[in-house]
Amino acid sequence: MNSVWPDAPNDDFRSLFKTHPSPMWVYDPQTLKFLIVNDAARDLYGYGDSDFAVMTVLDIRPSVERERMLDAVHHRTDIETAQRWTHLKADGETFEVLTYGREIRFDGKMAILAIVQDRTEVNAARRQVDATQSLLDSIVDNLPVGVFVKDMERDGRYILFNEACGGIVGRAAQDMIGKSDRAIFSDEQTALFREQDKLAFETAETVYFEETIHTVDGVLRILKTAKRALPAPSGQAPRYVLGISQDVTAERSVEARLAHLAMHDSLTGLPNRAFFSESIVRQVAAARPEKPIALLYIDVDHFKHINDSKGHAAGDMLLRQVAERLQQLAERSDLVARLGGDEFALVLRMTDAGRARRFADLLLQSLSAPFDLDGVREHVTCSIGIAMAPEHGNDADVLMRDADLALYAAKASGRSTYRFYQTEMRLEAERRHQLTLELREALQNDELELHYQPIIRLDEDALSGFEALIRWRHPKRGLIAPAEFIPVAEETGMIVPIGDWVLREACRAAVEWPEHLKVAINLSVYQFRHASLLATVVSALSETGLCPGRLEIEVTESILLSEVEQSLSLLRALKELGIRIAIDDFGTGYSSLSYLRSFSFDKIKLDRSFVAGMDADPGNLAIVRAVVGIASGFNAVTLAEGIETEAQLAKLRAEGYHEVQGFLLGRPMSRENALARILHEAYPARTLRARKPAHV
């Protein structure tokens, strides 16, 4: 319906528009420009006539409202209906308004009359309404919660029962007026309500209850109710009980779901670490010698390989199936939890002394069966650490630490097994921790040093170079072998800065040697995975001035167990610099000829174990000979390490090995002694063949 604005409104009409207390204006829906604005609008928004003359209705709206305004004008959604908006005053203040639009004709053209209600004033006005009337109106008309009043002098009959309350109990509100609880609810529920009413009268304060009721339709609902006796005038005894009830069924359901999510793993549905942490405290506190519990920590062995090779979806599928097998083995009284990643925990109630061991055996057996990952059969194993309460501890933190130490021992034992906690595990952990602290200080205090073991070239019986071997000169314990502290360095990540130091120190030493001598260093697989390795090698060569061809990097076969392409790419980049690459401890690890085809190693080092068993075991001798053939096919130098007897030396010479090293030819020595050997020793064939074990 269109209204018609007089083309020539008389003075009375203009005066009425101009002075009307409600802010209003007329605007052009095409240009959105203001056509006429009354005084109330100018006062409310703070703009003058000259401002409004050049403004559009978009200018009184913040930027986030303008697109909506354009849509409203285009579709006329704010015509003949009230709309809530945020408007903008001249001073930048935003405020809430309610607008009502109507299409009119103004100066012979279609226009829109907008009438504005400032909600600020409305809200202020509402607060000034008579308190009693406002309360009654709010109770009856506005509150979304159930409100009722009982007349306790008339058997608790309802004299007020609003619609929300009727919706809660499943009855029309008007049907409840004049009725008491016993006409609606069961005797048990009625008795409960009467007790609440009595309590409200006796305390003369608001009392709160939360209970589950059956509605008229038999539906269970959870109500949160507040009751209070209404004060009577002139000091009379209270007669009425006011109650406010809120249906919190959905809220409690959501809370229950959220609580479940907070305490359960979303992938497997098992209790999570938070649930486990709370439960283990209670269970350890309750454990007794006659009613012990067992805590099992479980790790899926090499789970990262599944994730890396098959993808995270396959990894998730595997974890769900592992969880299912754990639940199948556990009893209802046991707790099965996923702590995160591939870590699980079980708390077993020890019905007999051997249950934990039997369960671990059954679990290893269960997990040995293949897993179906979208049609692909995968095999995994697990490592298990077991601690008992109260035998190993009556404190949850202590028990969890003990189970973790046992798990660590199981992994160190080759995985796919279980270990029970023993005191020696804690002592070893403390030793490793202390060693870690001291190792950090050792790097800072220059306690690390390199020893150099000679490498002999058999064709000329001459020195070919040295292998740099790290030692730790502890201020109290003396010289510590790498086998003791390198594993700690690898666990803690300290192997990276230590490896950097070894690389630079070895290059600095080799620069002092004749140019035909090389220096060999060992790279840990952990260093090899570090993104900065290539840059570190380049930096070390640049700083020391060592020719890349004189640096030999030894790696073990384990670097090719995973991320093969990344490993080969780094090896190729190192070799492109001119650095020689040797495969160390050959025959003890992966030993697949496929990687020899993928990368051209410069040297193959036969592990010392084959040299030591060469005379007694024909199989070892066969491997010794096979390495020579393999290296010849790939045009690689062969080196045998661990030479301790003249017989071993003669045998390896006869088999065609290019280089050798071992105590017979020279023990690891200091930098100064290595330089002295270079300068003062000669290696004629007769000397080498008759050489006694060196003790430099």
Side-chain angles (χ1 to χ4, degrees):
M1 171 179 170
N2 296 337
S3 298
V4 179
W5 186 282
D7 287 343
N10 56 40
D11 292 339
D12 290 340
F13 193 88
R14 285 186 178 277
S15 176
L16 178 62
F17 175 82
K18 175 179 176 62
T19 60
H20 197 282
S22 295
M24 59 180 70
W25 57 75
V26 177
Y27 70 93
D28 186 338
Q30 299 299 321
T31 65
L32 303 183
K33 287 189 174 183
F34 291 97
L35 301 178
I36 185 170
V37 181
N38 76 348
D39 292 342
R42 285 192 289 271
D43 294 340
L44 176 60
Y45 289 85
Y47 293 106
D49 288 336
S50 59
D51 298 320
F52 277 115
V54 295
M55 292 170 60
T56 70
V57 292
L58 297 180
D59 296 324
I60 62 169
R61 289 168 168 78
S63 57
V64 295
E65 289 273 41
R66 292 175 182 174
E67 188 66 30
R68 180 184 161 211
M69 178 59 189
L70 291 172
D71 186 69
V73 173
H74 179 71
H75 295 287
R76 297 295 194 268
T77 55
D78 62 344
I79 300 302
E80 305 294 343
T81 183
Q83 292 283 336
R84 195 178 297 274
W85 300 87
T86 298
H87 278 188
L88 188 66
K89 293 184 179 182
D91 61 3
E93 177 189 350
T94 58
F95 64 107
E96 186 180 308
V97 298
L98 198 66
T99 66
Y100 180 86
R102 167 169 285 189
E103 290 184 339
I104 65 171
R105 293 192 65 80
F106 183 82
D107 287 342
K109 295 181 179 180
M110 184 64 66
I112 295 177
L113 168 66
I115 303 173
V116 177
Q117 181 186 16
D118 183 356
R119 298 298 295 174
T120 306
E121 296 179 0
V122 172
N123 294 337
R126 284 184 176 177
R127 286 193 296 268
Q128 297 172 4
V129 175
D130 178 79
T132 303
Q133 187 62 47
S134 175
L135 176 61
L136 293 175
D137 291 344
S138 297
I139 291 174
V140 176
D141 300 324
N142 298 319
L143 283 180
V145 295
V147 179
F148 58 87
V149 177
K150 290 181 177 181
D151 184 350
M152 301 309 296
E153 291 186 0
R154 297 180 61 235
D155 194 33
R157 296 178 185 276
Y158 290 100
I159 64 172
L160 176 62
F161 205 87
N162 74 345
E163 292 293 338
C165 211
I168 291 173
V169 301
R171 292 282 292 267
Q174 61 270 24
D175 294 343
M176 298 293 294
I177 303 301
K179 291 184 174 64
S180 64
D181 290 328
R182 66 168 50 93
I184 308 161
F185 301 104
S186 67
D187 292 342
E188 181 181 357
Q189 190 69 63
T190 298
L192 179 60
F193 286 160
R194 288 301 175 91
E195 286 296 322
Q196 295 174 359
D197 297 339
K198 181 181 178 182
L199 182 60
F201 267 84
E202 291 175 349
T203 59
E205 295 180 354
T206 303
V207 290
Y208 300 91
F209 311 93
E210 184 167 317
E211 68 264 328
T212 301
I213 70 166
H214 287 271
T215 68
V216 175
D217 300 329
V219 178
L220 282 176
R221 290 193 179 276
I222 303 174
L223 299 185
K224 184 177 181 181
T225 302
K227 289 184 177 180
R228 184 183 181 92
L230 292 176
S234 305
Q236 299 175 9
R239 176 176 176 177
Y240 302 103
V241 170
L242 167 66
I244 300 177
S245 289
Q246 183 178 4
D247 184 352
V248 294
T249 308
E251 181 181 338
R252 294 295 178 265
S253 177
V254 170
E255 289 174 355
R257 288 198 298 271
L258 291 176
H260 181 85
L261 290 174
M263 291 294 180
H264 289 76
D265 173 46
S266 60
L267 177 64
T268 63
L270 295 177
N272 62 10
R273 183 181 291 274
F275 187 108
F276 167 78
S277 298
E278 291 184 5
S279 178
I280 193 65
V281 170
R282 294 192 301 270
Q283 296 200 55
V284 171
R288 297 291 182 269
E290 64 276 10
K291 291 184 178 181
I293 63 171
L295 171 60
L296 283 69
Y297 273 176
I298 303 164
D299 265 15
V300 179
D301 295 331
H302 305 301
F303 174 71
K304 186 176 183 297
H305 294 170
I306 299 292
N307 258 353
D308 291 345
S309 61
K310 304 298 182 183
H312 288 280
D316 289 348
M317 191 179 304
L318 174 64
L319 292 174
R320 284 193 291 268
Q321 294 182 35
V322 169
E324 290 172 1
R325 297 190 189 184
L326 288 173
Q327 290 175 295
Q328 290 169 0
L329 293 176
E331 297 179 359
R332 292 180 61 86
S333 60
D334 300 330
L335 170 64
V336 184
R338 181 189 176 209
L339 304 184
D342 61 342
E343 303 173 43
F344 294 85
L346 277 91
V347 180
L348 303 180
R349 296 191 181 277
M350 297 294 290
T351 52
D352 62 82
R355 189 182 176 218
R357 187 178 300 276
R358 287 199 310 275
F359 188 95
D361 286 329
L362 287 172
L363 179 56
L364 292 175
Q365 181 181 350
S366 173
L367 295 185
S368 67
F371 292 83
D372 184 356
L373 306 183
D374 271 345
V376 178
R377 291 162 62 88
E378 289 289 345
H379 291 79
V380 299
T381 58
C382 72
S383 300
I384 308 170
I386 308 172
M388 311 288 292
E391 177 185 348
H392 296 141
N394 54 10
D395 177 86
D397 290 335
V398 172
L399 191 70
M400 289 188 287
R401 180 205 65 187
D402 293 348
D404 199 44
L405 291 173
L407 175 62
Y408 182 89
K411 291 181 178 180
S413 299
R415 303 176 186 267
S416 189
T417 187
Y418 59 87
R419 290 289 182 272
F420 282 84
Y421 170 75
Q422 296 177 334
T423 304
E424 292 78 8
M425 296 176 183
R426 177 177 56 81
L427 298 177
E428 174 61 19
E430 292 173 354
R431 186 196 69 81
R432 287 200 310 271
H433 178 67
Q434 183 61 33
L435 194 66
T436 300
L437 297 178
E438 294 177 354
L439 187 57
R440 294 186 187 279
E441 295 179 358
L443 189 59
Q444 298 172 356
N445 299 337
D446 295 329
E447 296 173 12
L448 301 179
E449 57 187 55
L450 289 184
H451 287 193
Y452 299 87
Q453 185 171 28
I455 299 173
I456 305 302
R457 192 171 65 250
L458 289 178
D459 60 347
E460 297 180 356
D461 291 336
L463 190 64
S464 173
F466 292 87
E467 180 179 2
L469 302 169
I470 190 170
R471 299 290 185 269
W472 178 6
R473 193 168 295 281
H474 194 281
K476 295 181 180 179
R477 298 168 56 189
L479 207 61
I480 300 178
E484 187 172 351
F485 66 86
I486 288 299
V488 174
E490 291 179 334
E491 289 177 14
T492 59
M494 292 181 61
I495 191 65
V496 174
I498 289 175
D500 291 352
W501 176 85
V502 168
L503 175 63
R504 298 177 192 280
E505 186 70 12
C507 289
R508 277 192 289 268
V511 167
E512 301 175 353
W513 306 340
E515 293 185 357
H516 69 281
L517 296 182
K518 296 180 288 293
V519 63
I521 65 166
N522 293 276
L523 275 188
S524 163
V525 66
Y526 297 92
Q527 289 174 266
F528 205 80
R529 297 284 180 257
H530 204 270
S532 64
L533 175 61
L534 183 60
T536 299
V537 172
V538 172
S539 174
L541 293 173
S542 176
E543 289 177 10
T544 61
L546 182 70
C547 174
R550 297 181 59 198
L551 176 62
E552 192 170 272
I553 290 179
E554 298 182 2
V555 297
T556 61
E557 301 162 1
S558 58
I559 67 168
L560 297 163
L561 280 176
S562 64
E563 301 176 8
V564 176
E565 288 305 319
Q566 177 183 339
S567 301
L568 291 175
S569 176
L570 181 55
L571 287 173
R572 293 184 185 110
L574 291 169
K575 191 162 185 176
E576 286 176 1
L577 293 174
I579 297 169
R580 295 174 59 82
I581 308 296
I583 187 75
D584 197 10
D585 299 333
F586 185 79
T588 62
Y590 193 44
S591 299
S592 168
L593 299 184
S594 62
Y595 66 78
L596 292 177
R597 293 199 309 268
S598 302
F599 182 78
S600 177
F601 287 95
D602 297 289
K603 180 182 290 186
I604 298 178
K605 292 187 66 175
L606 179 69
D607 185 70
R608 65 180 63 247
S609 61
F610 298 110
V611 173
M614 185 170 50
D615 295 331
D617 187 348
N620 282 346
L621 180 58
I623 292 175
V624 169
R625 290 171 174 169
V627 168
V628 174
I630 292 171
S632 175
F634 291 102
N635 196 30
V637 173
T638 51
L639 183 150
E641 56 184 349
I643 314 303
E644 297 183 357
T645 68
E646 293 287 351
Q648 290 172 344
L649 178 61
K651 187 67 174 175
L652 292 167
R653 185 191 300 276
E655 295 296 337
Y657 273 78
H658 299 101
E659 296 178 344
V660 289
Q661 70 180 101
F663 284 179
L664 177 69
L665 310 168
R667 292 176 177 270
M669 60 190 70
S670 68
R671 179 173 175 176
E672 293 76 16
N673 287 343
L675 189 59
R677 179 159 180 171
I678 293 170
L679 296 175
H680 302 297
E681 282 197 20
Y683 298 91
R686 64 180 182 276
T687 302
L688 183 59
R689 292 191 177 95
R691 181 178 304 281
K692 300 294 184 184
H695 301 284
V696 181

